[in-house]
Every structure is written in structure tokens, then in C-alpha cells.
Amino acid sequence: MQQDALTATEARLTARLAVEADAAAPLTVELAVTTPDGTALPPVRRTVSSIRARVR
């Protein structure tokens, strides 16, 4: 996780994930997001249509 920006109106982060799979498959990542006071915001979802399996 890397913080890219933090201002009075914006907090921007970059997250990098390493995923290992036995077969190619779709992947969905969902992040729970809250305000500084803990109020929940709508979750952020990102879907990748297919990830490649790692050859072992």
C-alpha cells in the first residue's frame, strides 16, 4: 500500500497485489473504505476478467 496524495478533500492510495492461482480465473477485489471518523463509504470493487496461473 502506498499513499499517493493526502489533502483536505482527497486521499489517494495505490495497492499492489500478488495473486497465485492453479488455473486462470476471474478475480474481484473489494476494499472497505471509511472516512477519518470511521463512517463507512460504499465499497470499491475492481474485477479483472482473467488472471494467469503461475507455472510451477
Side-chain angles (χ1 to χ4, degrees):
M1 187 74 70
Q2 174 183 318
Q3 182 174 306
D4 298 324
L6 181 61
T7 68
T9 59
E10 173 187 45
R12 192 171 354 119
L13 303 172
T14 298
R16 298 182 198 285
L17 303 173
V19 177
E20 291 186 25
D22 292 330
L27 172 71
T28 299
V29 174
E30 181 175 304
L31 300 174
V33 181
T34 61
T35 64
D37 69 1
T39 303
L41 298 174
V44 175
R45 288 184 189 92
R46 295 292 182 263
T47 300
V48 177
S49 58
S50 182
I51 60 169
R52 286 186 231 148
R54 174 178 270 184
V55 177
R56 296 177 193 204

